[in-house]
Amino acid sequence: MHKWLIAKKLLFLYFKKTYTLKKQIMNLTEQVEQALETIRPYLMADGGNVSVEEITEDKVVKLKLLGNCSSCPISFMTMKSGIEQAIMKAVPEITSVVAVDLAEQE
């Protein structure tokens, strides 16, 4: 039993180190895309999607809402409570998330 616990801890440390190294290697765009993959199925279920238009030097992510999301009356809520939270949680370096098409509508 004791050997199993040691092996389990070593495996955990190995995977944690591997995950940390992979995250450091990934650039911001890849990290943001990975975060978006967690929320994309929900957007697609309603006929929408999102694409990364730009990540500025100030680490602001500019997104474009696609399909039904671009004309949905609650797309602002989707941005704030879903998309923005997913990105900010997964990529803490990001300072802000904005939808370029929402900004153009205002």
Side-chain angles (χ1 to χ4, degrees):
M1 184 71 168
H2 181 67
K3 289 180 182 179
W4 168 245
L5 291 175
I6 292 172
K8 185 177 174 183
K9 180 146 182 129
L10 287 173
L11 279 172
F12 173 77
L13 291 173
Y14 170 77
F15 286 117
K16 182 178 177 184
K17 183 177 180 180
T18 302
Y19 173 78
T20 303
L21 288 174
K22 283 184 180 179
K23 189 169 181 179
Q24 290 171 353
I25 292 169
M26 277 195 280
N27 67 33
L28 283 179
T29 303
E30 290 171 331
Q31 291 180 53
V32 168
E33 285 290 348
Q34 190 174 37
L36 288 173
E37 287 304 316
T38 65
I39 198 152
R40 244 187 204 115
Y42 304 104
L43 300 173
M44 294 173 92
D46 289 327
N49 206 339
V50 64
S51 68
V52 177
E53 294 296 302
E54 177 186 8
I55 299 178
T56 68
E57 289 181 13
D58 297 332
K59 297 185 180 158
V60 174
V61 177
K62 294 184 178 184
L63 301 174
K64 182 166 185 156
L65 298 176
L66 306 170
N68 288 342
C69 288
S70 64
S71 60
C72 178
I74 62 166
S75 58
F76 178 77
M77 288 177 52
T78 302
M79 267 298 296
K80 288 293 175 193
S81 65
I83 298 170
E84 183 180 274
Q85 283 187 4
I87 292 172
M88 301 286 276
K89 182 177 179 183
V91 193
E93 300 91 348
I94 297 300
T95 58
S96 179
V97 179
V98 295
V100 291
D101 39 357
L102 287 179
E104 291 169 0
Q105 291 175 7
E106 293 176 352

